[in-house]
Amino acid sequence: MAPAIKVRSPKKKAPYLAQIDPRDLLAHPKNLRTQLGDLTELRASIAAYGVWQALTVIPEDDGYRVVAGHRRAAAAKEALKAGEWPEGLSPTVPCLVRPDLVGLAPEQIVAMLVENDQRVDLTESERAAGYAQLELFGLDVAEIARRTGRPTQHVQSALKLTKLGAAATAAADAGRLSLEDVAELAEFEDDPKTMEKILKDVGSSWGIKHKVQEERRKRQVKEAVAAVTAELEAAGVKIVKRPKEWPYNCQMARVDQLETADGEKIDPEAVKTLDGYAAVIEERWDSAGSFVVCLDPEAHGYKRTGHSYYKSPAEIAAKEAADKAKEDLRARLKESAAVRRRFLVEKYGSAKGAKTLLVDAMRFAVVWPDFLQYRVDGELIKELAGGVLTDGLTAGQDRLNRLLVARLIGAQEHNVEQVADGRWVAHKDLIVLWLNRLEEDGYELSEAEADMRAALIAAEEERKRAEAEEEAEELAYEAELAAEEADGDEGDGDQEVVDVQLPEEDVDPGPCAEADLAPNDAEQPENQGDE
């Protein structure tokens, strides 16, 4: 190891600078930074240029104890061990040696606090501006990345940030926009209004991801509408807007829902360019299409076949709105699911991340294993656990933990997907708990997910209310029956019982009215039975 190179001071206890081999440095037992974090970028920077900022150390026995600079010391040791030290530089780090702090534990802690508090990192926009200046000096992305010790993707995203305007840089500096999001925002560089809409009123990077997904879908639909419009115009087809009352309370109707007076169908392709016909363009959740309409079916003598039962205009409008709301919610939930999946993989798709849900997964496996039998997405399992469920036959403990957690996540997501698609499931109550758990772990619910959770909570409350009413009615009915039975028992106790003795022989009932006799019994001839 290289000996320390000192710049001596005339005073015995005065601080002095020295170049010290980082392998001779000892960690401070009272270090305030309990986790050194990821040293990859710092190590790459030291491998390129060495350590520029001096560490603060105190002499101790034959070595030195680090007061401030533990991360730099650790990264330097790693670089030396890996043989990545800059060529031509001495394998030492600059240190400010503080003999005056020896034996003064409180002052050492104060030094740690002051050293960290006085250091402020560059903002994202400041760092991006620095990369842009290096680019002006002729350095390409790869060279900037090499010289700064940053990943190439990081540099590319930072350079894109400089072109996205003030709103984007402000969001990045505030921590609401990550450099990962910058790459996605770049596609809206030519649309400042959309960029502003995406960045407005979002609390975190995940909120931006939701809005990017939404705006991307809107752009996709807009482009699809433009393509359908161009195709219809090229064919000479008139284009009309869909009326507000469509389709149950307006004059025009779809051609494929009409027939002639003789009951014959009409070919939309044969009539679409004729007078009295047009096309309506409809937006779908991620695409667009069109259909041909007759502007006045009755004038052509057509009969409508599109509606076989009658509803009032108000009922029809209400159903149309409800169906549209459900379809829109399903579409928005699909968008949210794509973002939520990315969160799941990022949050739980590692051995460390899986531990967050391991106890929950074990609890399901022991108490409720049938729930884990839900159909799960094999690709999601691969992304979360790095393999397939059958790997559990030979997997070790860590991989088994990841597979079990992945199975729980797959079952929970399948449960959510069924409800999002409007299907009946037996475990709706678990969805609220699942979304709450994700929110606790740092996920920001989209508006659609929050609406779904609120609807499920309201439905559960309504179910409990109806159940309580039914139980109350049943109890009231039972009480009423009990009261009637009690009243009957009291009446039977007051009534006198009379014992009646029936005669052993027939008794002449006495004279009776002729009306009581059978018709053939009245005024029979005397000799009728003596023949």
Side-chain angles (χ1 to χ4, degrees):
M1 298 184 182
I5 303 173
K6 302 180 180 179
V7 179
R8 299 188 178 276
S9 170
K11 296 181 179 180
K12 185 176 181 182
K13 287 194 174 183
Y16 60 89
L17 291 174
Q19 290 288 340
I20 302 174
D21 189 318
R23 291 165 290 192
D24 293 340
L25 300 177
L26 305 173
H28 199 290
K30 302 293 185 181
N31 183 25
L32 299 180
R33 190 186 294 276
T34 59
Q35 300 293 331
L36 296 180
D38 187 359
L39 300 176
T40 304
E41 291 186 359
L42 180 57
R43 170 179 157 181
S45 175
I46 292 174
Y49 295 102
V51 176
W52 284 27
Q53 184 177 2
L55 290 70
T56 302
V57 302
I58 56 175
E60 184 174 295
D61 298 331
D62 294 331
Y64 297 89
R65 180 78 63 180
V66 178
V67 174
H70 287 81
R71 295 186 76 251
R72 280 165 280 163
K77 290 178 182 179
E78 289 186 6
L80 281 170
K81 184 177 180 181
E84 298 175 348
W85 200 258
E87 185 177 353
L89 286 184
S90 171
T92 59
V93 296
C95 296
L96 176 62
V97 183
R98 297 287 303 272
D100 55 315
L101 294 181
V102 174
L104 302 177
E107 284 74 5
Q108 293 174 19
I109 302 299
V110 170
M112 293 181 192
L113 290 169
V114 172
E115 198 272 356
N116 282 280
D117 286 343
Q118 290 182 349
R119 185 172 63 248
V120 178
D121 288 339
L122 293 173
T123 66
E124 292 290 358
S125 61
E126 290 170 341
R127 185 175 289 106
Y131 295 157
Q133 292 184 48
L134 293 176
E135 195 175 37
L136 292 175
F137 281 109
L139 277 65
D140 61 14
V141 171
E143 182 62 17
I144 295 174
R146 188 189 70 80
R147 294 197 184 191
T148 59
R150 295 278 185 166
T152 302
Q153 183 61 46
H154 167 87
V155 176
Q156 288 176 335
S157 297
L159 290 173
K160 288 180 181 178
L161 177 62
T162 63
K163 302 175 183 178
L164 297 184
T169 55
D173 290 344
R176 294 183 289 109
L177 174 67
S178 69
L179 290 183
E180 177 189 350
D181 299 321
V182 167
E184 298 186 21
L185 278 177
E187 66 183 270
F188 301 101
E189 182 181 349
D190 60 342
D191 191 348
K193 290 185 177 180
T194 298
M195 181 82 69
E196 184 178 353
K197 188 186 301 183
I198 292 173
L199 296 172
K200 184 180 180 181
D201 299 331
V202 290
S204 71
S205 173
W206 289 107
I208 289 178
K209 286 179 173 65
H210 284 305
K211 289 197 173 185
V212 165
Q213 191 80 3
E214 180 183 1
E215 293 302 325
R216 184 177 291 142
R217 179 189 64 83
K218 289 180 179 179
R219 175 173 284 193
Q220 184 176 346
V221 171
K222 186 177 180 180
E223 291 173 352
V225 168
V228 173
T229 301
E231 182 180 353
L232 291 172
E233 289 176 345
V237 180
K238 181 180 180 180
I239 300 173
V240 295
K241 291 184 179 181
R242 181 161 50 184
K244 183 178 180 181
E245 301 84 2
W246 177 268
Y248 305 113
N249 193 29
C250 61
Q251 188 177 34
M252 70 183 191
R254 293 177 62 122
V255 169
D256 58 5
Q257 294 179 355
L258 297 172
E259 61 182 24
T260 66
D262 298 330
E264 296 181 356
K265 295 292 184 181
I266 306 162
D267 182 6
E269 290 297 315
V271 300
K272 66 181 182 181
T273 59
L274 302 179
D275 290 339
Y277 298 88
V280 173
I281 298 175
E282 60 177 353
E283 295 183 3
R284 295 155 189 169
W285 85 275
D286 61 350
S287 60
S290 67
F291 53 85
V292 179
V293 297
C294 178
L295 302 177
D296 190 354
E298 284 71 28
H300 288 76
Y302 296 149
K303 293 186 296 183
R304 301 174 186 257
T305 62
H307 206 359
S308 60
Y309 58 92
Y310 174 78
K311 285 186 178 181
S312 69
E315 290 174 329
I316 293 172
K319 185 178 184 303
E320 181 86 353
D323 291 344
K324 183 65 166 59
K326 289 179 181 178
E327 185 61 30
D328 288 346
L329 179 60
R330 280 196 288 268
R332 291 187 292 126
L333 287 173
K334 286 183 179 179
E335 297 170 5
S336 300
V339 176
R340 189 172 66 251
R341 181 172 180 141
R342 291 166 62 183
F343 171 83
L344 294 171
V345 174
E346 181 176 323
K347 182 69 177 179
Y348 309 115
S350 65
K352 181 180 179 181
K355 291 180 180 179
T356 308
L357 292 177
L358 182 57
V359 173
D360 291 345
M362 294 173 67
R363 193 169 284 125
F364 269 84
V366 172
V367 180
W368 202 357
D370 288 346
F371 180 75
L372 300 183
Q373 296 299 319
Y374 268 35
R375 181 182 63 82
V376 293
D377 185 345
E379 290 301 317
L380 177 58
I381 295 294
K382 288 182 181 179
E383 291 181 60
L384 287 166
V388 296
L389 293 175
T390 52
D391 290 347
L393 294 171
T394 57
Q397 184 64 55
D398 285 345
R399 177 56 61 85
L400 280 172
N401 290 344
R402 291 182 65 186
L403 288 169
L404 180 59
V405 168
R407 184 150 210 163
L408 172 64
I409 293 173
Q412 294 280 19
E413 284 300 295
H414 177 72
N415 199 31
V416 175
E417 178 184 349
Q418 296 300 294
V419 172
D421 285 343
R423 302 177 184 178
W424 183 89
V425 296
H427 309 300
K428 285 185 178 180
D429 54 320
L430 295 180
I431 295 176
V432 173
L433 299 176
W434 178 239
L435 294 178
N436 288 347
R437 177 57 189 269
L438 296 184
E439 202 171 41
E440 291 171 3
D441 285 349
Y443 178 67
E444 181 179 353
L445 296 184
S446 68
E447 183 179 354
E449 290 166 331
D451 288 347
M452 178 175 67
R453 179 174 64 179
L456 289 172
I457 292 173
E460 178 62 14
E461 291 175 351
E462 176 60 23
R463 185 193 66 77
K464 290 181 180 179
R465 185 194 64 78
E467 188 175 76
E469 287 183 358
E470 183 178 349
E471 184 177 354
E473 290 176 2
E474 185 175 345
L475 291 174
Y477 178 70
E478 291 176 356
E480 183 179 353
L481 289 179
E484 290 178 358
E485 186 176 350
D487 290 343
D489 290 342
E490 291 176 4
D492 293 342
D494 296 336
Q495 185 176 358
E496 183 179 356
V497 178
V498 180
D499 188 13
V500 179
Q501 181 67 39
L502 296 176
E504 297 180 356
E505 299 178 357
D506 291 340
V507 179
D508 183 5
C512 59
E514 292 183 356
D516 292 335
L517 301 175
N520 293 333
D521 293 338
E523 299 181 357
Q524 287 186 348
E526 293 180 358
N527 62 350
Q528 187 169 346
D530 298 333
E531 294 182 356

